[in-house]
Amino acid sequence: MCDGQGDNPYQGILALADQLAVTGDSVSMVSEAVATGQPVAVFDIGGGARHAQFLANLVQREVVGLLDGSPMPPSAGGPINATPAAAERVRRLIQAKAW
């Protein structure tokens, strides 16, 4: 019985999965699945222009596959960590604004 009580198994599912299938209406859910480094298939149920652009970028880079009958790309080769690139971009923006 699922009564909403107890621990949420979400993190455990992500940690133990050999591959993941998620819906594309949540950028966070797709991002968390991709961060595992396991193959990710996305079922695109819509979600607006921002979601469409996000998914198109990941598909084009072969980070995820779509659950539309097309072949899945290989695993990303490990968890994706965008923190260093994001930090460098913030540094450049701050330097550009400094006088």
Side-chain angles (χ1 to χ4, degrees):
M1 179 175 161
C2 182
D3 59 5
Q5 303 298 311
D7 294 336
N8 184 337
Y10 181 64
Q11 293 298 321
I13 291 168
L14 289 176
L16 295 172
D18 293 327
Q19 57 186 347
L20 296 152
V22 298
T23 58
D25 59 325
S26 169
V27 169
S28 294
M29 184 173 17
V30 174
S31 299
E32 290 165 353
V34 167
T36 68
Q38 300 300 338
V40 177
V42 179
F43 184 63
D44 186 7
I45 59 173
R50 182 175 76 107
H51 291 86
Q53 183 178 11
F54 175 72
L55 288 179
N57 180 282
L58 293 178
V59 169
Q60 189 243 343
R61 293 174 41 212
E62 296 186 343
V63 174
V64 302
L66 293 179
L67 285 173
D68 63 358
S70 59
M72 284 291 295
S75 172
I80 295 174
N81 181 1
T83 304
E88 180 58 31
R89 179 73 176 131
V90 169
R91 261 189 229 100
R92 282 187 270 145
L93 288 170
I94 291 171
Q95 289 172 347
K97 296 290 182 184
W99 50 96

PDB file of all heavy atoms in Angstrom, residues 7-45:
ATOM      1  N   ASP A   7      10.208   6.369   3.571  1.00  0.00           N
ATOM      2  CA  ASP A   7      11.265   6.905   2.716  1.00  0.00           C
ATOM      3  C   ASP A   7      10.848   6.922   1.259  1.00  0.00           C
ATOM      4  O   ASP A   7      10.136   6.046   0.788  1.00  0.00           O
ATOM      5  CB  ASP A   7      12.535   6.070   2.864  1.00  0.00           C
ATOM      6  CG  ASP A   7      13.153   6.174   4.252  1.00  0.00           C
ATOM      7  OD1 ASP A   7      12.908   7.190   4.927  1.00  0.00           O
ATOM      8  OD2 ASP A   7      13.865   5.237   4.650  1.00  0.00           O
ATOM      9  N   ASN A   8      11.342   7.924   0.550  1.00  0.00           N
ATOM     10  CA  ASN A   8      11.120   8.027  -0.889  1.00  0.00           C
ATOM     11  C   ASN A   8      12.186   7.184  -1.584  1.00  0.00           C
ATOM     12  O   ASN A   8      13.381   7.415  -1.391  1.00  0.00           O
ATOM     13  CB  ASN A   8      11.219   9.493  -1.323  1.00  0.00           C
ATOM     14  CG  ASN A   8      10.911   9.705  -2.780  1.00  0.00           C
ATOM     15  OD1 ASN A   8      11.019   8.802  -3.594  1.00  0.00           O
ATOM     16  ND2 ASN A   8      10.538  10.918  -3.121  1.00  0.00           N
ATOM     17  N   PRO A   9      11.794   6.222  -2.411  1.00  0.00           N
ATOM     18  CA  PRO A   9      12.775   5.332  -3.043  1.00  0.00           C
ATOM     19  C   PRO A   9      13.462   5.929  -4.270  1.00  0.00           C
ATOM     20  O   PRO A   9      14.297   5.277  -4.891  1.00  0.00           O
ATOM     21  CB  PRO A   9      11.914   4.140  -3.456  1.00  0.00           C
ATOM     22  CG  PRO A   9      10.574   4.742  -3.746  1.00  0.00           C
ATOM     23  CD  PRO A   9      10.417   5.845  -2.713  1.00  0.00           C
ATOM     24  N   TYR A  10      13.162   7.170  -4.628  1.00  0.00           N
ATOM     25  CA  TYR A  10      13.635   7.769  -5.873  1.00  0.00           C
ATOM     26  C   TYR A  10      15.152   7.715  -6.019  1.00  0.00           C
ATOM     27  O   TYR A  10      15.676   7.288  -7.045  1.00  0.00           O
ATOM     28  CB  TYR A  10      13.121   9.207  -5.971  1.00  0.00           C
ATOM     29  CG  TYR A  10      13.518   9.930  -7.233  1.00  0.00           C
ATOM     30  CD1 TYR A  10      13.060   9.488  -8.471  1.00  0.00           C
ATOM     31  CD2 TYR A  10      14.335  11.044  -7.194  1.00  0.00           C
ATOM     32  CE1 TYR A  10      13.409  10.148  -9.637  1.00  0.00           C
ATOM     33  CE2 TYR A  10      14.687  11.708  -8.354  1.00  0.00           C
ATOM     34  CZ  TYR A  10      14.219  11.247  -9.566  1.00  0.00           C
ATOM     35  OH  TYR A  10      14.574  11.898 -10.722  1.00  0.00           O
ATOM     36  N   GLN A  11      15.893   8.165  -5.019  1.00  0.00           N
ATOM     37  CA  GLN A  11      17.354   8.166  -5.098  1.00  0.00           C
ATOM     38  C   GLN A  11      17.901   6.750  -5.237  1.00  0.00           C
ATOM     39  O   GLN A  11      18.866   6.516  -5.963  1.00  0.00           O
ATOM     40  CB  GLN A  11      17.965   8.869  -3.884  1.00  0.00           C
ATOM     41  CG  GLN A  11      17.681  10.351  -3.815  1.00  0.00           C
ATOM     42  CD  GLN A  11      18.258  11.102  -5.013  1.00  0.00           C
ATOM     43  OE1 GLN A  11      19.340  10.814  -5.487  1.00  0.00           O
ATOM     44  NE2 GLN A  11      17.512  12.067  -5.503  1.00  0.00           N
ATOM     45  N   GLY A  12      17.298   5.801  -4.557  1.00  0.00           N
ATOM     46  CA  GLY A  12      17.720   4.407  -4.675  1.00  0.00           C
ATOM     47  C   GLY A  12      17.473   3.844  -6.063  1.00  0.00           C
ATOM     48  O   GLY A  12      18.303   3.112  -6.606  1.00  0.00           O
ATOM     49  N   ILE A  13      16.342   4.216  -6.650  1.00  0.00           N
ATOM     50  CA  ILE A  13      16.033   3.774  -8.014  1.00  0.00           C
ATOM     51  C   ILE A  13      17.077   4.318  -8.981  1.00  0.00           C
ATOM     52  O   ILE A  13      17.609   3.587  -9.822  1.00  0.00           O
ATOM     53  CB  ILE A  13      14.613   4.218  -8.419  1.00  0.00           C
ATOM     54  CG1 ILE A  13      13.571   3.442  -7.614  1.00  0.00           C
ATOM     55  CG2 ILE A  13      14.391   4.044  -9.916  1.00  0.00           C
ATOM     56  CD1 ILE A  13      12.164   3.985  -7.720  1.00  0.00           C
ATOM     57  N   LEU A  14      17.389   5.600  -8.855  1.00  0.00           N
ATOM     58  CA  LEU A  14      18.407   6.198  -9.725  1.00  0.00           C
ATOM     59  C   LEU A  14      19.757   5.505  -9.553  1.00  0.00           C
ATOM     60  O   LEU A  14      20.460   5.228 -10.522  1.00  0.00           O
ATOM     61  CB  LEU A  14      18.557   7.695  -9.445  1.00  0.00           C
ATOM     62  CG  LEU A  14      17.423   8.599  -9.881  1.00  0.00           C
ATOM     63  CD1 LEU A  14      17.700  10.035  -9.444  1.00  0.00           C
ATOM     64  CD2 LEU A  14      17.185   8.531 -11.371  1.00  0.00           C
ATOM     65  N   ALA A  15      20.121   5.209  -8.313  1.00  0.00           N
ATOM     66  CA  ALA A  15      21.430   4.619  -8.034  1.00  0.00           C
ATOM     67  C   ALA A  15      21.544   3.183  -8.541  1.00  0.00           C
ATOM     68  O   ALA A  15      22.625   2.756  -8.945  1.00  0.00           O
ATOM     69  CB  ALA A  15      21.704   4.660  -6.530  1.00  0.00           C
ATOM     70  N   LEU A  16      20.463   2.438  -8.549  1.00  0.00           N
ATOM     71  CA  LEU A  16      20.516   1.017  -8.886  1.00  0.00           C
ATOM     72  C   LEU A  16      20.156   0.692 -10.334  1.00  0.00           C
ATOM     73  O   LEU A  16      20.406  -0.414 -10.793  1.00  0.00           O
ATOM     74  CB  LEU A  16      19.587   0.223  -7.951  1.00  0.00           C
ATOM     75  CG  LEU A  16      19.994   0.241  -6.481  1.00  0.00           C
ATOM     76  CD1 LEU A  16      18.916  -0.412  -5.628  1.00  0.00           C
ATOM     77  CD2 LEU A  16      21.330  -0.442  -6.279  1.00  0.00           C
ATOM     78  N   ALA A  17      19.604   1.643 -11.051  1.00  0.00           N
ATOM     79  CA  ALA A  17      19.121   1.372 -12.406  1.00  0.00           C
ATOM     80  C   ALA A  17      20.271   1.170 -13.391  1.00  0.00           C
ATOM     81  O   ALA A  17      21.280   1.861 -13.340  1.00  0.00           O
ATOM     82  CB  ALA A  17      18.240   2.526 -12.882  1.00  0.00           C
ATOM     83  N   ASP A  18      20.093   0.204 -14.291  1.00  0.00           N
ATOM     84  CA  ASP A  18      21.039  -0.004 -15.385  1.00  0.00           C
ATOM     85  C   ASP A  18      20.737   0.932 -16.546  1.00  0.00           C
ATOM     86  O   ASP A  18      21.611   1.246 -17.347  1.00  0.00           O
ATOM     87  CB  ASP A  18      20.983  -1.447 -15.887  1.00  0.00           C
ATOM     88  CG  ASP A  18      21.498  -2.421 -14.844  1.00  0.00           C
ATOM     89  OD1 ASP A  18      22.414  -2.051 -14.077  1.00  0.00           O
ATOM     90  OD2 ASP A  18      20.993  -3.556 -14.799  1.00  0.00           O
ATOM     91  N   GLN A  19      19.489   1.328 -16.678  1.00  0.00           N
ATOM     92  CA  GLN A  19      19.051   2.313 -17.651  1.00  0.00           C
ATOM     93  C   GLN A  19      17.754   2.911 -17.134  1.00  0.00           C
ATOM     94  O   GLN A  19      17.084   2.316 -16.291  1.00  0.00           O
ATOM     95  CB  GLN A  19      18.871   1.711 -19.039  1.00  0.00           C
ATOM     96  CG  GLN A  19      17.920   0.548 -19.123  1.00  0.00           C
ATOM     97  CD  GLN A  19      17.930  -0.061 -20.519  1.00  0.00           C
ATOM     98  OE1 GLN A  19      18.446   0.509 -21.452  1.00  0.00           O
ATOM     99  NE2 GLN A  19      17.353  -1.225 -20.649  1.00  0.00           N
ATOM    100  N   LEU A  20      17.431   4.089 -17.619  1.00  0.00           N
ATOM    101  CA  LEU A  20      16.269   4.803 -17.103  1.00  0.00           C
ATOM    102  C   LEU A  20      15.381   5.267 -18.241  1.00  0.00           C
ATOM    103  O   LEU A  20      15.870   5.640 -19.312  1.00  0.00           O
ATOM    104  CB  LEU A  20      16.717   6.018 -16.283  1.00  0.00           C
ATOM    105  CG  LEU A  20      17.505   5.660 -15.015  1.00  0.00           C
ATOM    106  CD1 LEU A  20      18.455   6.767 -14.637  1.00  0.00           C
ATOM    107  CD2 LEU A  20      16.535   5.389 -13.885  1.00  0.00           C
ATOM    108  N   ALA A  21      14.086   5.247 -17.993  1.00  0.00           N
ATOM    109  CA  ALA A  21      13.101   5.814 -18.911  1.00  0.00           C
ATOM    110  C   ALA A  21      12.311   6.842 -18.115  1.00  0.00           C
ATOM    111  O   ALA A  21      11.768   6.532 -17.053  1.00  0.00           O
ATOM    112  CB  ALA A  21      12.177   4.736 -19.457  1.00  0.00           C
ATOM    113  N   VAL A  22      12.313   8.081 -18.604  1.00  0.00           N
ATOM    114  CA  VAL A  22      11.646   9.167 -17.899  1.00  0.00           C
ATOM    115  C   VAL A  22      10.789   9.959 -18.874  1.00  0.00           C
ATOM    116  O   VAL A  22      10.992   9.903 -20.086  1.00  0.00           O
ATOM    117  CB  VAL A  22      12.661  10.112 -17.208  1.00  0.00           C
ATOM    118  CG1 VAL A  22      13.466   9.370 -16.160  1.00  0.00           C
ATOM    119  CG2 VAL A  22      13.596  10.761 -18.209  1.00  0.00           C
ATOM    120  N   THR A  23       9.864  10.730 -18.333  1.00  0.00           N
ATOM    121  CA  THR A  23       9.084  11.624 -19.183  1.00  0.00           C
ATOM    122  C   THR A  23       9.856  12.927 -19.346  1.00  0.00           C
ATOM    123  O   THR A  23      10.629  13.317 -18.473  1.00  0.00           O
ATOM    124  CB  THR A  23       7.690  11.905 -18.590  1.00  0.00           C
ATOM    125  OG1 THR A  23       7.845  12.468 -17.294  1.00  0.00           O
ATOM    126  CG2 THR A  23       6.862  10.634 -18.517  1.00  0.00           C
ATOM    127  N   GLY A  24       9.638  13.587 -20.462  1.00  0.00           N
ATOM    128  CA  GLY A  24      10.388  14.793 -20.778  1.00  0.00           C
ATOM    129  C   GLY A  24       9.751  16.078 -20.289  1.00  0.00           C
ATOM    130  O   GLY A  24      10.241  17.156 -20.598  1.00  0.00           O
ATOM    131  N   ASP A  25       8.687  15.999 -19.524  1.00  0.00           N
ATOM    132  CA  ASP A  25       8.007  17.205 -19.069  1.00  0.00           C
ATOM    133  C   ASP A  25       8.676  17.837 -17.848  1.00  0.00           C
ATOM    134  O   ASP A  25       8.266  18.895 -17.395  1.00  0.00           O
ATOM    135  CB  ASP A  25       6.537  16.919 -18.772  1.00  0.00           C
ATOM    136  CG  ASP A  25       6.342  15.850 -17.710  1.00  0.00           C
ATOM    137  OD1 ASP A  25       7.153  14.899 -17.666  1.00  0.00           O
ATOM    138  OD2 ASP A  25       5.377  15.952 -16.941  1.00  0.00           O
ATOM    139  N   SER A  26       9.719  17.197 -17.334  1.00  0.00           N
ATOM    140  CA  SER A  26      10.440  17.742 -16.194  1.00  0.00           C
ATOM    141  C   SER A  26      11.927  17.800 -16.510  1.00  0.00           C
ATOM    142  O   SER A  26      12.593  16.764 -16.624  1.00  0.00           O
ATOM    143  CB  SER A  26      10.212  16.866 -14.949  1.00  0.00           C
ATOM    144  OG  SER A  26      11.099  17.249 -13.916  1.00  0.00           O
ATOM    145  N   VAL A  27      12.457  19.004 -16.653  1.00  0.00           N
ATOM    146  CA  VAL A  27      13.882  19.183 -16.911  1.00  0.00           C
ATOM    147  C   VAL A  27      14.687  18.595 -15.753  1.00  0.00           C
ATOM    148  O   VAL A  27      15.726  17.963 -15.963  1.00  0.00           O
ATOM    149  CB  VAL A  27      14.215  20.676 -17.131  1.00  0.00           C
ATOM    150  CG1 VAL A  27      15.708  20.919 -17.127  1.00  0.00           C
ATOM    151  CG2 VAL A  27      13.588  21.171 -18.434  1.00  0.00           C
ATOM    152  N   SER A  28      14.199  18.760 -14.531  1.00  0.00           N
ATOM    153  CA  SER A  28      14.903  18.224 -13.367  1.00  0.00           C
ATOM    154  C   SER A  28      14.985  16.706 -13.420  1.00  0.00           C
ATOM    155  O   SER A  28      16.040  16.123 -13.150  1.00  0.00           O
ATOM    156  CB  SER A  28      14.195  18.643 -12.072  1.00  0.00           C
ATOM    157  OG  SER A  28      14.272  20.023 -11.902  1.00  0.00           O
ATOM    158  N   MET A  29      13.880  16.046 -13.753  1.00  0.00           N
ATOM    159  CA  MET A  29      13.877  14.586 -13.799  1.00  0.00           C
ATOM    160  C   MET A  29      14.834  14.073 -14.863  1.00  0.00           C
ATOM    161  O   MET A  29      15.607  13.139 -14.626  1.00  0.00           O
ATOM    162  CB  MET A  29      12.464  14.043 -14.050  1.00  0.00           C
ATOM    163  CG  MET A  29      12.410  12.539 -14.010  1.00  0.00           C
ATOM    164  SD  MET A  29      10.763  11.767 -14.086  1.00  0.00           S
ATOM    165  CE  MET A  29       9.691  12.997 -14.680  1.00  0.00           C
ATOM    166  N   VAL A  30      14.821  14.675 -16.038  1.00  0.00           N
ATOM    167  CA  VAL A  30      15.734  14.267 -17.109  1.00  0.00           C
ATOM    168  C   VAL A  30      17.176  14.513 -16.671  1.00  0.00           C
ATOM    169  O   VAL A  30      18.044  13.653 -16.847  1.00  0.00           O
ATOM    170  CB  VAL A  30      15.413  14.998 -18.431  1.00  0.00           C
ATOM    171  CG1 VAL A  30      16.449  14.669 -19.487  1.00  0.00           C
ATOM    172  CG2 VAL A  30      14.014  14.650 -18.918  1.00  0.00           C
ATOM    173  N   SER A  31      17.427  15.655 -16.068  1.00  0.00           N
ATOM    174  CA  SER A  31      18.779  15.996 -15.621  1.00  0.00           C
ATOM    175  C   SER A  31      19.289  15.021 -14.573  1.00  0.00           C
ATOM    176  O   SER A  31      20.447  14.588 -14.612  1.00  0.00           O
ATOM    177  CB  SER A  31      18.817  17.418 -15.052  1.00  0.00           C
ATOM    178  OG  SER A  31      18.452  18.351 -16.036  1.00  0.00           O
ATOM    179  N   GLU A  32      18.441  14.673 -13.626  1.00  0.00           N
ATOM    180  CA  GLU A  32      18.840  13.722 -12.589  1.00  0.00           C
ATOM    181  C   GLU A  32      19.117  12.346 -13.180  1.00  0.00           C
ATOM    182  O   GLU A  32      20.069  11.671 -12.778  1.00  0.00           O
ATOM    183  CB  GLU A  32      17.766  13.637 -11.503  1.00  0.00           C
ATOM    184  CG  GLU A  32      17.694  14.891 -10.664  1.00  0.00           C
ATOM    185  CD  GLU A  32      16.438  14.990  -9.835  1.00  0.00           C
ATOM    186  OE1 GLU A  32      15.519  14.154  -9.991  1.00  0.00           O
ATOM    187  OE2 GLU A  32      16.359  15.923  -9.010  1.00  0.00           O
ATOM    188  N   ALA A  33      18.319  11.939 -14.154  1.00  0.00           N
ATOM    189  CA  ALA A  33      18.544  10.649 -14.811  1.00  0.00           C
ATOM    190  C   ALA A  33      19.864  10.673 -15.578  1.00  0.00           C
ATOM    191  O   ALA A  33      20.664   9.733 -15.493  1.00  0.00           O
ATOM    192  CB  ALA A  33      17.380  10.325 -15.745  1.00  0.00           C
ATOM    193  N   VAL A  34      20.129  11.738 -16.315  1.00  0.00           N
ATOM    194  CA  VAL A  34      21.370  11.864 -17.080  1.00  0.00           C
ATOM    195  C   VAL A  34      22.581  11.879 -16.146  1.00  0.00           C
ATOM    196  O   VAL A  34      23.629  11.318 -16.471  1.00  0.00           O
ATOM    197  CB  VAL A  34      21.329  13.126 -17.969  1.00  0.00           C
ATOM    198  CG1 VAL A  34      22.694  13.466 -18.527  1.00  0.00           C
ATOM    199  CG2 VAL A  34      20.322  12.943 -19.091  1.00  0.00           C
ATOM    200  N   ALA A  35      22.436  12.486 -14.981  1.00  0.00           N
ATOM    201  CA  ALA A  35      23.547  12.587 -14.036  1.00  0.00           C
ATOM    202  C   ALA A  35      24.011  11.224 -13.523  1.00  0.00           C
ATOM    203  O   ALA A  35      25.124  11.109 -13.015  1.00  0.00           O
ATOM    204  CB  ALA A  35      23.169  13.490 -12.866  1.00  0.00           C
ATOM    205  N   THR A  36      23.190  10.191 -13.673  1.00  0.00           N
ATOM    206  CA  THR A  36      23.598   8.859 -13.217  1.00  0.00           C
ATOM    207  C   THR A  36      24.656   8.246 -14.125  1.00  0.00           C
ATOM    208  O   THR A  36      25.361   7.336 -13.716  1.00  0.00           O
ATOM    209  CB  THR A  36      22.405   7.885 -13.164  1.00  0.00           C
ATOM    210  OG1 THR A  36      21.941   7.619 -14.497  1.00  0.00           O
ATOM    211  CG2 THR A  36      21.279   8.419 -12.283  1.00  0.00           C
ATOM    212  N   GLY A  37      24.740   8.710 -15.369  1.00  0.00           N
ATOM    213  CA  GLY A  37      25.675   8.124 -16.314  1.00  0.00           C
ATOM    214  C   GLY A  37      25.149   6.890 -17.012  1.00  0.00           C
ATOM    215  O   GLY A  37      25.823   6.317 -17.865  1.00  0.00           O
ATOM    216  N   GLN A  38      23.937   6.471 -16.682  1.00  0.00           N
ATOM    217  CA  GLN A  38      23.308   5.321 -17.320  1.00  0.00           C
ATOM    218  C   GLN A  38      22.552   5.777 -18.571  1.00  0.00           C
ATOM    219  O   GLN A  38      22.211   6.954 -18.692  1.00  0.00           O
ATOM    220  CB  GLN A  38      22.343   4.633 -16.347  1.00  0.00           C
ATOM    221  CG  GLN A  38      22.997   4.117 -15.090  1.00  0.00           C
ATOM    222  CD  GLN A  38      24.073   3.085 -15.373  1.00  0.00           C
ATOM    223  OE1 GLN A  38      24.100   2.442 -16.416  1.00  0.00           O
ATOM    224  NE2 GLN A  38      25.003   2.931 -14.442  1.00  0.00           N
ATOM    225  N   PRO A  39      22.286   4.857 -19.504  1.00  0.00           N
ATOM    226  CA  PRO A  39      21.489   5.233 -20.675  1.00  0.00           C
ATOM    227  C   PRO A  39      20.106   5.745 -20.252  1.00  0.00           C
ATOM    228  O   PRO A  39      19.478   5.172 -19.356  1.00  0.00           O
ATOM    229  CB  PRO A  39      21.368   3.926 -21.459  1.00  0.00           C
ATOM    230  CG  PRO A  39      22.509   3.086 -20.991  1.00  0.00           C
ATOM    231  CD  PRO A  39      22.729   3.468 -19.551  1.00  0.00           C
ATOM    232  N   VAL A  40      19.674   6.805 -20.894  1.00  0.00           N
ATOM    233  CA  VAL A  40      18.392   7.428 -20.556  1.00  0.00           C
ATOM    234  C   VAL A  40      17.532   7.523 -21.808  1.00  0.00           C
ATOM    235  O   VAL A  40      17.973   8.039 -22.833  1.00  0.00           O
ATOM    236  CB  VAL A  40      18.587   8.837 -19.957  1.00  0.00           C
ATOM    237  CG1 VAL A  40      17.249   9.513 -19.678  1.00  0.00           C
ATOM    238  CG2 VAL A  40      19.424   8.770 -18.685  1.00  0.00           C
ATOM    239  N   ALA A  41      16.313   7.017 -21.701  1.00  0.00           N
ATOM    240  CA  ALA A  41      15.320   7.146 -22.759  1.00  0.00           C
ATOM    241  C   ALA A  41      14.240   8.098 -22.261  1.00  0.00           C
ATOM    242  O   ALA A  41      13.793   7.993 -21.122  1.00  0.00           O
ATOM    243  CB  ALA A  41      14.711   5.795 -23.091  1.00  0.00           C
ATOM    244  N   VAL A  42      13.853   9.029 -23.105  1.00  0.00           N
ATOM    245  CA  VAL A  42      12.868  10.037 -22.713  1.00  0.00           C
ATOM    246  C   VAL A  42      11.604   9.863 -23.537  1.00  0.00           C
ATOM    247  O   VAL A  42      11.654   9.767 -24.761  1.00  0.00           O
ATOM    248  CB  VAL A  42      13.427  11.468 -22.907  1.00  0.00           C
ATOM    249  CG1 VAL A  42      12.386  12.510 -22.513  1.00  0.00           C
ATOM    250  CG2 VAL A  42      14.697  11.654 -22.091  1.00  0.00           C
ATOM    251  N   PHE A  43      10.486   9.813 -22.838  1.00  0.00           N
ATOM    252  CA  PHE A  43       9.180   9.817 -23.486  1.00  0.00           C
ATOM    253  C   PHE A  43       8.703  11.257 -23.480  1.00  0.00           C
ATOM    254  O   PHE A  43       8.377  11.823 -22.443  1.00  0.00           O
ATOM    255  CB  PHE A  43       8.209   8.910 -22.739  1.00  0.00           C
ATOM    256  CG  PHE A  43       6.866   8.800 -23.401  1.00  0.00           C
ATOM    257  CD1 PHE A  43       6.742   8.248 -24.664  1.00  0.00           C
ATOM    258  CD2 PHE A  43       5.727   9.251 -22.761  1.00  0.00           C
ATOM    259  CE1 PHE A  43       5.507   8.153 -25.281  1.00  0.00           C
ATOM    260  CE2 PHE A  43       4.487   9.154 -23.368  1.00  0.00           C
ATOM    261  CZ  PHE A  43       4.379   8.609 -24.630  1.00  0.00           C
ATOM    262  N   ASP A  44       8.735  11.878 -24.655  1.00  0.00           N
ATOM    263  CA  ASP A  44       8.412  13.295 -24.763  1.00  0.00           C
ATOM    264  C   ASP A  44       6.901  13.483 -24.803  1.00  0.00           C
ATOM    265  O   ASP A  44       6.257  13.197 -25.808  1.00  0.00           O
ATOM    266  CB  ASP A  44       9.059  13.881 -26.022  1.00  0.00           C
ATOM    267  CG  ASP A  44       8.888  15.383 -26.127  1.00  0.00           C
ATOM    268  OD1 ASP A  44       8.388  16.005 -25.161  1.00  0.00           O
ATOM    269  OD2 ASP A  44       9.262  15.939 -27.170  1.00  0.00           O
ATOM    270  N   ILE A  45       6.349  13.957 -23.693  1.00  0.00           N
ATOM    271  CA  ILE A  45       4.905  14.194 -23.616  1.00  0.00           C
ATOM    272  C   ILE A  45       4.576  15.682 -23.705  1.00  0.00           C
ATOM    273  O   ILE A  45       3.496  16.111 -23.346  1.00  0.00           O
ATOM    274  CB  ILE A  45       4.289  13.585 -22.338  1.00  0.00           C
ATOM    275  CG1 ILE A  45       4.932  14.172 -21.080  1.00  0.00           C
ATOM    276  CG2 ILE A  45       4.428  12.081 -22.338  1.00  0.00           C
ATOM    277  CD1 ILE A  45       4.249  13.748 -19.788  1.00  0.00           C
TER     278      ILE A  45
END
